[in-house]
């Protein structure tokens, strides 16, 4: 980001040329599932594929630093916010065509699961457990309940780094465990998913609904629904116990820093149950990772992504054990 970034002038140009409203210093926490994050220098919400395409091309042509945000899951935005332009993707067009389901990148995966169920198409049920969008799911090859995007995707329409568009077949997407060609790119400008087409299987609508009900019940029993969280913090290591099992075995459930705590329901979730900061969340995630490495020799990799300006992040407090936290609360109650 350079001093040449003029949020007022750029916001005016976006509104005039593309017809998309913009705002300055927009707090980003309310757009994320973790409910943390400082302001965006310039913020815009796009509502269809035409606006998405236009604003991405505009940003690239002006060399404006930009960040694309979907439903705000699996991300932790820095307390200092994000420099440049933040584009919230609400391009949510979708349609069923025979045995295929076509969805723009902003369609929530949970909605994709219910839409295809009503169309009598099976294969996207796992999407009910994915809190993000179709674009984010393709980017990460998201998966749950013994399936993932790679198992059902037919193609993706992509805005390439050179500004052209191309439909990429499934074997061109570089899909692996929680990976894709888009996630590995890493640098701007990058290829970005505009929409995706999934090939599904005809099935009885009632049978699919039963599967969705099973997934809902499992999530309610095993995940901290209703609390601010960014989803699974770590990838599961290859060929061994899951990240959640490793963390649980070390007795780290309930470990807290500030307002962030390792979930008692699922050890691979960090919840922000006391209005903590992004620094709290990141410090706790790093403390858990470091302890697993020190005690088990396993280097966990982050599944969540830390976005924004972390350059001035203050050092967070030391992590507390569950017992320490209970003693702290008891002492506070005794003092009142």
């Amino acid at each position: 980001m350079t001093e040449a970034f003029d949020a007022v002038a750029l916001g005016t140009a976006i509104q005039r040329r593309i017809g998309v409203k913009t705002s300055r210093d927009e707090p980003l926490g309310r757009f994320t599932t973790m409910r943390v994050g400082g302001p965006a220098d310039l913020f815009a919400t796009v509502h269809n594929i035409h606006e998405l395409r236009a604003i991405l091309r505009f940003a690239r042509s002006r060399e404006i630093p930009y960040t694309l945000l979907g439903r705000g899951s699996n991300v932790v935005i820095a307390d200092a916010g994000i420099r440049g332009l933040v584009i919230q993707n609400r391009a949510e067009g979708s349609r069923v065509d025979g045995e295929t389901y076509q969805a723009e990148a902003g369609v929530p995966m949970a909605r994709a699961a219910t839409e295809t169920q009503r169309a009598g198409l099976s294969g996207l049920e796992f999407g009910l457990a994915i809190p993000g969008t179709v674009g984010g799911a393709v980017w990460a090859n998201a998966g749950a309940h013994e399936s993932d995007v790679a198992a059902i995707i037919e193609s993706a329409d992509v805005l390439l780094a050179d500004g052209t568009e191309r439909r990429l077949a499934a074997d061109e997407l570089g899909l692996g465990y929680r990976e894709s060609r888009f996630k590995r790119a890493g640098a701007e400008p990058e290829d970005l998913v505009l929409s995706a087409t999934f090939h599904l299987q005809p099935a009885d609508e009632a049978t699919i609904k039963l599967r969705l009900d099973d997934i809902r019940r499992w999530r309610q029993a095993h995940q901290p629904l209703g609390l601010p969280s960014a989803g699974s913090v770590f990838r599961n290591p290859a060929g061994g116990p899951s990240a959640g099992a490793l963390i649980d075995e070390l007795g780290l459930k309930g470990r807290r820093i500030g307002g962030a705590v390792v979930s008692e329901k699922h050890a691979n979730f960090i919840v922000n149950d006391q209005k903590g900061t992004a620094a709290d969340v990141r410090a706790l995630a790093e403390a858990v990772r470091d302890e697993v490495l020190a005690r088990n020799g396993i280097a966990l990799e982050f599944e969540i992504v830390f976005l924004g300006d972390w350059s001035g992040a203050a050092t967070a407090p030391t992590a507390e054990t569950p017992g320490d936290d209970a003693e702290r609360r008891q002492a506070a109650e005794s003092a009142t």
Side-chain angles (χ1 to χ4, degrees):
M1 182 80 149
T2 67
E3 293 183 3
F5 185 89
D6 185 337
V8 175
L10 290 171
T12 300
I14 289 171
Q15 291 174 178
R16 185 178 67 249
R17 292 173 179 240
I18 304 173
V20 172
K21 292 182 179 180
T22 62
S23 58
R24 287 177 288 135
D25 299 321
E26 184 73 41
L28 295 173
R30 66 192 183 98
F31 300 117
T32 74
T33 59
M34 185 60 88
R35 296 292 186 262
V36 296
D41 291 330
L42 187 63
F43 179 84
T45 299
V46 296
H47 296 95
N48 56 63
I49 203 74
H50 307 293
E51 292 178 349
L52 176 60
R53 184 187 293 116
I55 201 169
L56 288 171
R57 285 176 170 159
F58 177 88
R60 288 176 173 182
S61 69
R62 299 287 189 96
E63 297 185 343
I64 300 170
Y66 66 88
T67 301
L68 193 60
L69 190 66
R71 307 296 290 186
S73 62
N74 291 101
V75 298
V76 179
I77 295 176
D79 297 311
I82 299 179
R83 306 286 69 79
L85 171 65
V86 174
I87 305 164
Q88 184 188 39
N89 183 9
R90 288 293 185 267
E92 298 183 4
S94 63
R95 69 187 182 98
V96 173
D97 183 8
E99 296 181 5
T100 64
Y101 175 72
Q102 299 171 332
E104 294 177 354
V107 171
M109 284 291 283
R111 197 185 94 190
T114 57
E115 284 185 343
T116 52
Q117 178 262 328
R118 289 194 297 268
L121 293 175
S122 176
L124 254 170
E125 291 91 330
F126 75 93
L128 192 68
I130 306 299
T133 61
V134 165
V138 175
W139 177 80
N141 186 25
H145 298 277
E146 301 181 350
S147 190
D148 59 14
V149 166
I152 57 171
I153 193 165
E154 183 176 282
S155 63
D157 291 341
V158 176
L159 181 66
L160 299 175
D162 63 7
T164 62
E165 292 182 39
R166 184 181 165 202
R167 178 163 293 180
L168 301 180
D171 60 2
E172 298 177 275
L173 300 177
L175 300 175
Y177 175 68
R178 304 299 178 262
E179 283 287 355
S180 72
R181 61 178 283 166
F182 313 104
K183 193 172 183 180
R184 283 191 291 265
E188 297 283 2
E190 58 188 5
D191 300 343
L192 293 170
V193 176
L194 298 176
S195 64
T197 299
F198 303 99
H199 188 269
L200 306 174
Q201 299 298 321
D204 178 67
E205 184 179 343
T207 301
I208 303 171
K209 185 178 183 302
L210 289 175
R211 172 65 172 156
L212 293 178
D213 290 342
D214 286 342
I215 292 173
R216 286 190 185 94
R217 283 191 290 268
W218 189 94
R219 293 186 69 215
Q220 289 168 355
H222 296 91
Q223 294 181 356
L225 304 182
L227 292 172
S229 167
S232 296
V233 176
F234 301 102
R235 297 185 184 191
N236 290 325
S242 68
L246 288 169
I247 297 166
D248 192 5
E249 287 169 4
L250 295 181
L252 299 181
K253 282 184 174 179
R255 180 68 61 90
R256 176 181 296 277
I257 290 181
V261 62
V262 177
S263 171
E264 295 282 2
K265 256 193 172 182
H266 194 310
N268 199 17
F269 281 67
I270 287 175
V271 297
N272 180 19
D273 67 346
Q274 293 184 13
K275 298 182 179 179
T277 64
D280 292 341
V281 175
R282 183 164 190 169
L284 181 57
E286 291 176 347
V288 169
R289 178 198 59 187
D290 293 347
E291 189 152 352
V292 171
L293 179 61
R295 294 171 63 182
N296 276 350
I298 297 174
L300 294 178
E301 297 180 52
F302 285 121
E303 181 64 27
I304 56 174
V305 178
F306 297 100
L307 294 178
D309 178 10
W310 293 89
S311 60
T315 302
T318 303
E320 302 170 353
T321 66
D324 292 336
D325 188 43
E327 290 171 8
R328 176 181 60 81
R329 287 199 303 268
Q330 186 176 18
E333 290 167 359
S334 299
T336 59

